[in-house]
Amino acid sequence: MSLRTPSLPAAPAGSPRVLAPSRGRAARRAHLVRAVTAYLFLLPALLAFALFAWYPIVRGLIVSFQEVNLVDPPRWVGLENFRQLIDDPLFVTAWANTLRFAGLGLLLGYAVPFVLALAINEVRHLRWYFRLAFYLPVVLPPIVAVYLWQWILDPGPGLANQILGWFGVDPQPWLQSSDTAMLSLVIVATWSYAGSTMLIYLAALQGVPAHLYDAAEVDGANLLRRLFDITLPQLRFILLIMLVLQIIGTMQVFTEPFVLTDGGPANATVTVLLLLYRYAFQYGNYGAASALGLMLFVVLVAFSLLYLWLTRRFRP
Amino acid sequence: MGDETAAGRGETDGETRARRVDRRTLIRVGGMAATVGTVGRVARPSTGRAVAQATPSGEPVTVTDNGLPPENQPEQVEVYEQIVERYESANPNVTVESTANAWDPQTFPARLAAGELEDAFNVPYTEPQGIIARGQAADITEYLQAWPSFPSYNPNALQVVSDAEGRIYGIPIFGYALGLMYNRTFFEEAGLDPDSPPATWDDLRSAAKALTGDGRAGFAETSTDNQGGWHFTAWTYSAGGTLEEVDAEGGATAVFNSEEGVAALQLLKGMRFEDEAMTDRQLLNQDDTREMMATGQIAMCVQAPDSLPWIADRYPDVDMEQFGFGILPQNGGNATLAGGSVWMFNPNSEPEVIQAAVDWILFKEFDLENLDARLAADQERGALIGAPESPIFTGEYLEQRQEVFARYANAPTENYRAFIEGSATLELRGEPPVETQQLYAAIDPAVQAVLTDEGADPQELLDEAAEQFQSQVLDRL
């Protein structure tokens, strides 16, 4: 994941600032040609985004205020879709569950890739192997990974309970209980996505100047002091960015509850996107689904603006 | 946990979608359940052909449907292609193009609006009334009535695909009633009589307890994909309850938080936590319980009889002699849930295409010579023939059809005697009539709760579900 776009090459040093009229026209023409060429290169991407991203977003906004069943002509209904959502007891449940997932994700999922990156960064041998091993789940198709976890978390002979059994811990219900289902989903998601985040942290760790550590070692700083006084301050920008990106990602959780629990047991894992999916594709109520999508969109835009602000405020 | 993608999962697995199609159904199918393989008399089949020519003009026509078996069932695909060849050689102006896009409620409206829907599509009994009301199916009354065997149709089956004026919008092809599938070998090992499966709730509980052990659960029940609500409906019927009441103005009231509904949930909760006779793993759907039956992980579960050929197709090494079928255990209701599937037709297709599509479906499903050839091929590939059905026909055509089946039946029909004889004494009740799938979706969490939470309160759960379904769905119609 690239957090910064490469900047264009700077103008060659010594370019004349003041040009004679004929040379000015030539320069302007050259500039125009360059600009047109650049926009022509951009055109396919602009068209693709317009067709497959911006147009659906605008349509979604419009549909939020309409009754749409794809058979009869759309009908304007004002705020009725939003009223219906707010009246739905599952609306509050879905937001609460989503925040719970995001919160547990911060506790567990946010720390794991950072700790992995720190550990691998300290390893002197077989570093490539550990990088590969922890990254491997990322290359699995999400559905395959999720189904794999269905077996691991099986309350009977599942691998997770077998491992707990080695330590004398009783079998856990995992996905089968309202108390543990959400935590189980966070474990699955962490396993699935930690590898890619870990690589970003690893890259950032490589950028910490070695002389800082050398100086700290000379001063007798131990591992923890080096972590808190050098590593964390040096990585605060990337940690902050990843925090915001993770919140944006976890607020959109869908695949894990959809495949593993279908929102159960007893609605304990119904998330905002799962509820949206149900409104659209089970109830055929595209208006309410779009309205819910709009609400989520507003929340995510807020976090995205925060992300943009952070990248400008703290960019090294 | 980094950049998670919130992509929706498209239904890409043909089997999964086929499961959704063949699972529930309902409506009163009137007649009693009967096995199609028990008629001994053998007669030369007469053709059930409807229309002498598929299209009046004889102009070339291409018909599309969604009846192709999934790719991972190559033998079924081969048999299917033989049927297409037979039809096309008899009707040179018609080309049949089939897809494995089994009907999916989640994509149906979009595919219809986008012009991507096949000319003929197969749906379960839960759907035709909604599809008819929304104008999403073609009127085929004249075409179907022209079929010579039309008078043999069970009127109750036709009711599934008819509107209030009696216009017909579909072709019912299959009917069933929910019952109890069980493993006869396990019954014998547990000292139970395999010819007398549980017929009451009390019998079911004691049998499930006796059958639990050796890493095996006595019983399993579905609770996801709307199938918790589906089976809850059957359990409620078996206790004499109902799910919805419709008044004279068409207004519907959710009434499943009744004494009977609560009793149904208490039955499941008791088996799960008091008897400890159910699987630890919950949140199951129908495919899960079928797989568990096939692999000996459970001894009993609620199924429709089409689970038998389903298992035989997917687990060819499994001994089908070990499975028996009984009625849904009763608790005073003397009833079970009945269903089936129908073909409907794209209202946006040209009339000539619709006519040809109706002719093709009638040939594929009901032509007796074709049926004879298909069953011969099915028998050769090792398919199970003779699982019980709830007949959608009466009279002469039913007899002719049963005669053909009798010739090829290889299922151990004696094992289904309890179901066949018991179903004759039960009322076969249709699915709740209004917004059935959303009703089931509202009930699923309650079923999940009693199967996963020892402290769950059935009455409270059903009150909440009924209130939600009433305010969010029924009151907004």
Side-chain angles (χ1 to χ4, degrees), chain A residues 56-70 77-86 88 91 94-95 254 271-298, chain B residues 106 438 472 476:
Chain A
I57 288 172
V58 173
R59 280 289 296 166
L61 182 69
I62 294 169
V63 170
S64 301
F65 302 96
Q66 292 180 325
E67 182 183 296
V68 175
N69 60 12
L70 298 183
V77 293
L79 295 174
E80 178 54 31
N81 290 327
F82 295 88
R83 269 195 289 273
Q84 181 179 0
L85 282 171
I86 291 167
D88 186 346
F91 177 77
W95 278 101
F254 177 79
T271 61
V272 172
L273 271 192
L274 191 60
L275 185 62
L276 186 157
Y277 171 85
R278 286 183 180 175
Y279 265 102
F281 300 112
Q282 290 187 357
Y283 310 159
N285 188 342
Y286 298 95
S290 297
L292 187 54
L294 183 61
M295 293 180 193
L296 184 63
F297 180 75
V298 169
Chain B
Q106 295 163 21
Q438 292 204 52
Q472 292 298 301
R476 292 175 185 272

Side-chain angles (χ1 to χ4, degrees), chain B residues 179-194 196-198 203-221 271 276-280 284 288-303 307-308 311 319-327 329 415:
Chain B
L180 184 75
M181 187 177 187
Y182 63 98
N183 187 307
R184 293 171 59 87
T185 308
F186 295 160
F187 265 58
E188 285 168 6
E189 288 171 3
L192 301 171
D193 180 0
S196 301
D203 290 348
L204 176 70
R205 284 189 73 158
S206 57
K209 274 194 282 192
L211 289 160
T212 298
D214 296 334
R216 178 178 72 225
F219 187 66
E221 184 54 291
M271 293 178 76
E276 296 184 341
M278 293 181 70
T279 49
D280 287 334
L284 305 171
D288 295 325
T289 54
R290 286 175 171 182
E291 285 164 12
M292 288 172 157
M293 280 300 296
T295 53
Q297 298 176 62
I298 57 174
M300 299 185 292
C301 64
V302 173
Q303 291 288 348
S307 57
L308 293 163
I311 289 176
D319 177 14
M320 296 304 294
E321 296 279 343
Q322 68 184 310
F323 299 119
F325 228 91
I327 59 166
N415 292 357

